[in-house]
Amino acid sequence: MEIKGEDYQVAYDPETATLICEGALRLRGASGYEDIVKLFNEVADQKPSAITLDLKGLRFLNSSGINALSKFVINVRNKKACELVIRGTNQYPWQGKSLRNFQRLMPALKLELE
């Protein structure tokens, strides 16, 4: 499954239960992220043993996107059914700062920054 925009791509690999976000997500408000949130929640509803959220190729994420990811992290935490791994990079300064905040929402979350 894949969602493409002008400057971004969100894909899901069911074999590895990995959500991959690339490009720059500058969508407007919560309504702009509806399709992405729907995909993320569908993955969480499948309750795989682990979900990997690969953000290494995500150059930019606006505040609406961070809010959408926060809700996803809370959703996974509340299901108590699977592990969540977020992969990021120190190449994009926003990731080091923002991704650590997700650990406050879900202390069991595994954060891998390269």
Side-chain angles (χ1 to χ4, degrees), residues 17-104:
T18 300
L19 290 157
I20 304 158
C21 300
E22 297 176 326
L25 280 167
R26 295 181 170 98
L27 306 176
R28 291 197 177 240
S31 62
Y33 285 90
E34 278 181 6
D35 290 341
I36 295 170
V37 168
K38 183 179 175 191
L39 171 62
F40 283 16
N41 288 334
E42 285 174 4
V43 171
D45 289 344
Q46 294 172 12
K47 297 181 181 175
S49 60
I51 298 171
T52 300
L53 182 57
D54 187 340
L55 305 175
K56 292 183 292 190
L58 192 61
R59 298 183 313 272
F60 179 82
L61 182 66
N62 65 8
S63 59
S64 295
I66 290 174
N67 187 37
L69 285 183
S70 296
K71 288 179 180 178
F72 171 67
V73 169
I74 291 168
N75 183 21
V76 171
R77 178 194 71 195
N78 290 343
K79 289 189 183 305
K80 298 179 183 175
C82 63
E83 177 181 75
L84 181 60
V85 178
I86 297 181
R87 290 188 182 141
T89 178
N90 288 312
Q91 180 180 354
Y92 306 118
W94 74 268
Q95 288 193 15
K97 200 181 303 179
S98 298
L99 297 183
R100 282 188 178 83
N101 289 331
F102 294 134
Q103 288 180 309
R104 292 182 182 150

